[in-house]
Amino acid sequence: MRSIQLGDKTFELSITSTEIQKAIYRMADEMDRDLKDKNPLMICILNGSFMFAADVMKKFTTPCQVSFVKLASYQGTQTTGQVKELIGLTEDIVGRTVVLLEDIVDTGVTIDNLVKQLNGMGPREVKVATLLFKPDACKRDVTLDYVGLSIPNEFIVGYGLDYNGYGRNLPDIYSLVK
């Protein structure tokens, strides 16, 4: 599909599933090299990262554990600037290597807040793996250890990303038509 309609918005194809999978293979290889012998705890940030995390985990061969946190910072097509924790972490991370699996880093507010929270819990290190990064939208000084693709500052849906809850199931990524 070259374009889709979600509610009152039209979106055009931006990143194909083939491009997404190619980026994930590269990232998983980098993570395997860096994280072997570190017993990492992979933390999927829900809701948007569920597809990304699942695909990374299929390609990541290093023994690890997986957990989930649920955060929210978007309403419609705009970030609220507030990070709302809906479901929290239950694992003990003291002395562990923690890898956050995030679908997208745009303003950096969510990932910055979460990294600071986790660092206060005594991990050995916290690393960030994001499928998508919007450098032009980033307002925080965040360290991203693994980046799949850098993209323009456009509102996107698909591959876990949504518009008012719709579009997460799409295998490709689409940009909002202005």
Side-chain angles (χ1 to χ4, degrees):
M1 291 183 286
R2 297 294 309 157
S3 68
I4 59 166
Q5 186 77 28
L6 295 175
D8 60 342
K9 306 280 186 223
T10 302
F11 298 84
E12 288 183 343
L13 183 64
S14 177
I15 304 169
T16 66
S17 60
T18 301
E19 293 171 281
I20 293 166
Q21 293 306 312
K22 189 173 170 183
I24 290 171
Y25 270 108
R26 180 183 44 77
M27 292 175 73
D29 283 345
E30 290 172 22
M31 291 164 61
D32 270 326
R33 280 193 304 275
D34 294 350
L35 301 171
K36 68 179 183 174
D37 303 321
K38 289 194 174 187
N39 186 29
L41 173 62
M42 313 297 271
I43 299 176
C44 172
I45 303 171
L46 299 172
N47 283 340
S49 297
F50 75 99
M51 289 178 81
F52 170 59
D55 283 348
V56 166
M57 297 312 303
K58 290 175 198 171
K59 295 163 184 66
F60 184 68
T61 62
T62 300
C64 65
Q65 292 178 310
V66 181
S67 190
F68 303 86
V69 294
K70 185 171 181 178
L71 306 173
S73 64
Y74 263 80
Q75 189 169 21
T77 62
Q78 300 294 314
T79 181
T80 63
Q82 303 289 331
V83 179
K84 183 178 173 186
E85 182 178 331
L86 304 175
I87 299 173
L89 183 66
T90 58
E91 286 78 12
D92 180 7
I93 65 169
V94 173
R96 297 284 306 267
T97 294
V98 174
V99 181
L100 298 174
L101 299 174
E102 177 67 298
D103 54 349
I104 188 167
V105 173
D106 45 25
T107 64
V109 171
T110 300
I111 207 70
D112 185 47
N113 287 346
L114 188 53
V115 167
K116 286 176 182 171
Q117 273 187 316
L118 292 173
N119 277 327
M121 299 169 75
R124 175 179 173 199
E125 62 186 336
V126 177
K127 293 185 172 284
V128 177
T130 184
L131 175 61
L132 304 167
F133 175 51
K134 293 181 181 179
D136 293 338
C138 197
K139 297 177 181 177
R140 300 279 178 98
D141 185 21
V142 294
T143 300
L144 305 176
D145 301 281
Y146 310 99
V147 176
L149 300 163
S150 290
I151 62 170
N153 187 16
E154 299 173 342
F155 186 79
I156 57 175
V157 298
Y159 197 74
L161 298 150
D162 74 301
Y163 170 59
N164 289 335
Y166 293 95
R168 291 189 194 276
N169 60 312
L170 300 167
D172 303 303
I173 293 174
Y174 295 80
S175 298
L176 179 64
V177 175
K178 305 223 185 236

